[in-house]
């Protein structure tokens, strides 16, 4: 069965740097026929994730360069479909912050990720929401997504 997955940066990073959850991420991304959707925001966030890994000495700067080069090649080759953020997603993110952020640590960028996923789902372009951030997963589940956290 083919499926469409929406990945945020926390889960997508596992495709490039082996860590807890990498085997599950690899299976989803490498399965023939699956569609992997990411936001334009993830294209900005993933280098930030790798920069944190460099600063915390989990990976070297050279590793980060290799991962980012591969990520950009994967975008060009069509491994990932990149979706732009529009004004409607920003408006939805505002509503998500109002609805959830007072009780949960939902941050603005996470709300934007969920907002884009909601837009894709409304167009029948999404089956599963994939993230490794627990708060993001909780709120996505509250919004009715089939959520996959690749970390056990």
């Amino acid at each position: 069965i083919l499926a469409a997955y929406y990945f945020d940066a926390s889960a997508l990073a596992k495709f490039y740097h082996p860590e807890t959850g990498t085997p599950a991420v690899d299976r989803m991304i490498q399965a023939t026929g699956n569609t992997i959707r990411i936001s334009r925001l993830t294209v900005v966030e993933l280098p930030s994730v790798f920069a944190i890994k460099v600063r915390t000495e989990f990976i070297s700067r050279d590793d980060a360069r290799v991962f980012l080069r591969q990520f950009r090649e994967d975008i060009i080759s069509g491994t990932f479909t990149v979706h732009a953020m529009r004004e409607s997603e920003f408006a939805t993110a505002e509503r998500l912050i109002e609805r959830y952020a007072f009780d949960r640590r939902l941050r603005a960028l996470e709300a934007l990720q969920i907002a884009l996923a909601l837009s894709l789902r409304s167009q029948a372009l999404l089956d599963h929401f994939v993230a490794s951030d627990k708060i993001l997963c909780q709120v996505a589940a509250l919004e009715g997504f089939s959520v996959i956290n690749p970390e056990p």
Side-chain angles (χ1 to χ4, degrees):
I1 293 175
L2 311 180
Y5 297 89
Y6 181 83
F7 271 75
D8 92 311
S10 67
L12 191 60
K14 298 174 183 314
F15 188 59
Y16 299 97
H17 177 244
E19 56 187 83
T20 304
T22 291
V25 166
D26 288 352
R27 280 191 299 276
M28 287 179 265
I29 292 175
Q30 293 171 341
T32 304
N34 279 349
T35 301
I36 309 300
R37 301 187 188 284
I38 63 173
S39 72
R40 178 68 181 84
L41 180 57
T42 297
V43 178
V44 176
E45 284 187 313
L46 197 63
S48 177
V49 169
F50 293 142
I52 291 167
K53 289 179 181 293
V54 170
R55 288 195 312 272
T56 55
E57 300 181 354
F58 278 100
I59 65 173
S60 71
R61 199 173 283 238
D62 285 339
D63 289 339
R65 278 192 206 97
V66 169
F67 298 155
L68 288 171
R69 187 177 321 115
Q70 184 61 54
F71 174 54
R72 291 180 181 116
E73 289 171 7
D74 288 340
I75 290 171
I76 291 166
S77 73
T79 300
F80 308 120
T81 303
V82 181
H83 295 270
M85 292 276 176
R86 299 166 312 191
E87 182 56 38
S88 60
E89 280 84 33
F90 283 90
T92 299
E94 290 174 42
R95 288 193 296 277
L96 290 167
I97 291 289
E98 290 170 15
R99 185 177 306 145
Y100 296 111
F102 292 95
D103 301 313
R104 292 176 174 75
R105 200 178 43 85
L106 180 67
R107 296 183 299 251
L109 296 181
E110 296 161 338
L112 282 166
Q113 293 283 18
I114 294 171
L116 182 59
L118 285 165
S119 173
L120 293 170
R121 185 178 69 187
S122 74
Q123 301 168 65
L125 295 174
L126 185 60
D127 299 310
H128 306 286
F129 186 98
V130 186
S132 293
D133 178 294
K134 286 183 174 50
I135 304 291
L136 186 55
C137 288
Q138 286 173 4
V139 176
L142 289 169
E143 285 295 311
F145 284 101
S146 162
V147 175
I148 299 171
N149 183 341
E151 294 185 12

